[in-house]
Amino acid sequence: MTTPSEKTVLVVDDEPDILLFLQTALEDAGFNVVTASNGDEALQRVKECPPDFISCDLVMPKKSGVRFLYELRKHKEWARIPIVVVTAHARDELGSKDLKEILDGKILSGPQVYLEKPVRAEDFVGMVKRELGIVETAPSKAAESTDALKKQVQELLNSADPEALKEAARILKAKRT
């Protein structure tokens, strides 16, 4: 079974806060992440070590997302890397024409996926996992139950008076031995 720690995702975005947000979401899910702030940097990252997946902004300075994708198309191996376009310009004149070319399969083959900013971390990570064939494993009922009990105990401890805390500590110590 493939796990996120076995996969590297290249995140390309010129907005530092978006780049950090997407990077953090993926790292929290266990992925290895490399970043680039434009198409030129992204192409350099791919040359250094082709990633398993690419998240690419569409409108960026220097080399845009669409120009970067055209460069990928020229290389047989790189053209197969799954890509998601994450853009705030899906419906405006800055990006809609380029996005249409991508979605029509004129630039890359394979599943053409895009997300409109702002994106939710869960949606972004879930989409990356689906595209990479990473199956989510649901937490077991026992783990869910234990977590719920810990949360309930923590809430009770937070509002307990000193005598109740002493009694709770005594009971927990007795259970350890």
Side-chain angles (χ1 to χ4, degrees):
M1 183 169 82
T2 304
T3 64
S5 64
E6 299 171 38
K7 299 294 182 180
T8 299
V9 179
L10 170 61
V11 180
V12 188
D13 203 302
D14 63 321
E15 297 178 58
D17 56 335
I18 301 292
L19 191 64
L20 180 61
F21 172 76
L22 297 176
Q23 177 184 11
T24 302
L26 290 168
E27 288 176 345
D28 287 351
F31 286 98
N32 302 302
V33 180
V34 292
T35 61
S37 61
N38 61 58
D40 285 330
E41 285 183 22
L43 197 55
Q44 185 59 38
R45 300 289 184 276
V46 172
K47 286 177 183 173
E48 293 166 0
C49 183
D52 299 295
F53 191 90
I54 298 172
S55 168
C56 186
D57 189 10
L58 203 53
V59 179
M60 296 182 288
K62 297 184 181 176
K63 186 173 282 181
S64 70
V66 73
R67 289 185 55 215
F68 165 64
L69 297 178
Y70 273 116
E71 291 292 326
L72 287 180
R73 183 181 179 187
K74 293 177 184 175
H75 194 283
K76 187 177 178 181
E77 183 183 334
W78 299 345
R80 289 190 234 145
I81 299 171
I83 294 169
V84 63
V85 173
V86 180
T87 183
H89 302 285
R91 300 167 200 253
D92 66 26
E93 62 189 48
L94 287 176
S96 62
K97 182 181 171 195
D98 289 342
L99 184 60
K100 185 172 180 347
E101 278 186 51
I102 293 168
L103 296 177
D104 287 347
K106 294 177 182 170
I107 297 177
L108 294 173
S109 61
Q112 287 78 31
V113 179
Y114 80 99
L115 294 174
E116 286 189 61
K117 295 177 184 173
V119 296
R120 291 179 350 132
E122 309 84 55
D123 296 339
F124 178 67
V125 170
M127 187 276 316
V128 172
K129 285 181 176 179
R130 276 191 308 279
E131 293 299 319
L132 290 173
I134 296 172
V135 178
E136 296 270 352
T137 56
S140 69
K141 293 281 184 196
E144 288 178 358
S145 176
T146 301
D147 289 343
L149 279 174
K150 285 180 179 178
K151 185 177 178 183
Q152 183 180 13
V153 168
Q154 186 62 49
E155 289 171 1
L156 290 169
L157 290 174
N158 288 342
S159 62
D161 62 54
E163 287 303 314
L165 289 173
K166 286 180 189 173
E167 182 65 17
R170 184 190 63 74
I171 292 170
L172 290 173
K173 285 179 183 174
K175 292 285 184 182
R176 287 176 127 184
T177 57

